[in-house]
Amino acid sequence: AAFGVVVAGFLFGLTSVQAGPGLSLRSRAASAAVFSTLLGLGVAWLVQPVFGALPAPFLVTASVVGLLALAVGATTAAAHRAVGPLGVLTAAVVLLVFGNATSTGILPAQYLPAWLEPLAQVLPVGVAVRALRGAAYFADDGLAPGLLVLTAWVVAAAGLFTGVTRLQRRGARATSGAAVAS
């Protein structure tokens, strides 16, 4: 489920920038919140009542999965807004390739190559997997740090996206104002 959530978040972040270039920041934030909430609830419903695969509380599962989707989507959108196609490529490599390779969903971080092991503690998917595992089996061990790290990803990405958007809009106004003055 984690890989599917990461792919969905990545695609949401990518398409939200491409499909709605003129959307306000408020509209973007609202659509991201709706997307991540629905995805979190849907995945929690599938892995708990439908498949019985995760004995963590439903709302905890939905919250962690929703934050994972939001973190990946917001980071992808911010990278795309900041540096264009290179940002999308970077987000794909970091979030999809390295993120899933270091997710610890199948093997613990200790089995990763030494240079990859630290990424399991900071990339969204590894943090989310550990938080869910802790909520399900280990008296919430890793849940609070996981929520903090995922929230930090969301806040940092939202800040970058907002800052770059405002700079681009100022630049566009200055350019159009200079063209009118000429």
Side-chain angles (χ1 to χ4, degrees):
F3 183 72
V5 171
V6 171
V7 170
F10 175 81
L11 291 174
F12 177 82
L14 176 63
T15 57
S16 69
V17 172
Q18 293 177 331
L23 287 177
S24 69
L25 292 172
R26 185 168 291 165
S27 296
R28 287 182 187 280
S31 69
V34 169
F35 164 77
S36 62
T37 299
L38 291 176
L39 188 67
L41 291 170
V43 170
W45 176 75
L46 282 173
V47 300
Q48 290 185 338
V50 174
F51 295 112
L54 188 67
F58 181 85
L59 289 179
V60 169
T61 302
S63 298
V64 171
V65 170
L67 266 174
L68 172 60
L70 188 57
V72 172
T75 301
T76 302
H80 186 293
R81 178 58 55 110
V83 291
L86 181 59
V88 175
L89 176 63
T90 303
V93 170
V94 171
L95 299 171
L96 295 171
V97 177
F98 288 129
N100 283 297
T102 62
S103 71
T104 70
I106 297 173
L107 295 172
Q110 295 80 4
Y111 288 103
L112 293 171
W115 66 275
L116 277 178
E117 188 177 345
L119 295 179
Q121 304 300 315
V122 295
L123 292 179
V125 70
V127 170
V129 168
R130 179 161 185 242
L132 289 172
R133 188 180 296 126
Y137 304 109
F138 302 109
D140 293 338
D141 180 48
L143 180 60
L147 293 172
L148 287 173
V149 170
L150 290 170
T151 300
W153 275 88
V154 171
V155 169
L160 176 63
F161 189 92
T162 301
V164 169
T165 298
R166 288 183 176 157
L167 285 173
Q168 289 173 344
R169 287 180 181 164
R170 278 190 205 139
R173 281 193 296 254
T175 302
S176 67
V180 170
S182 312

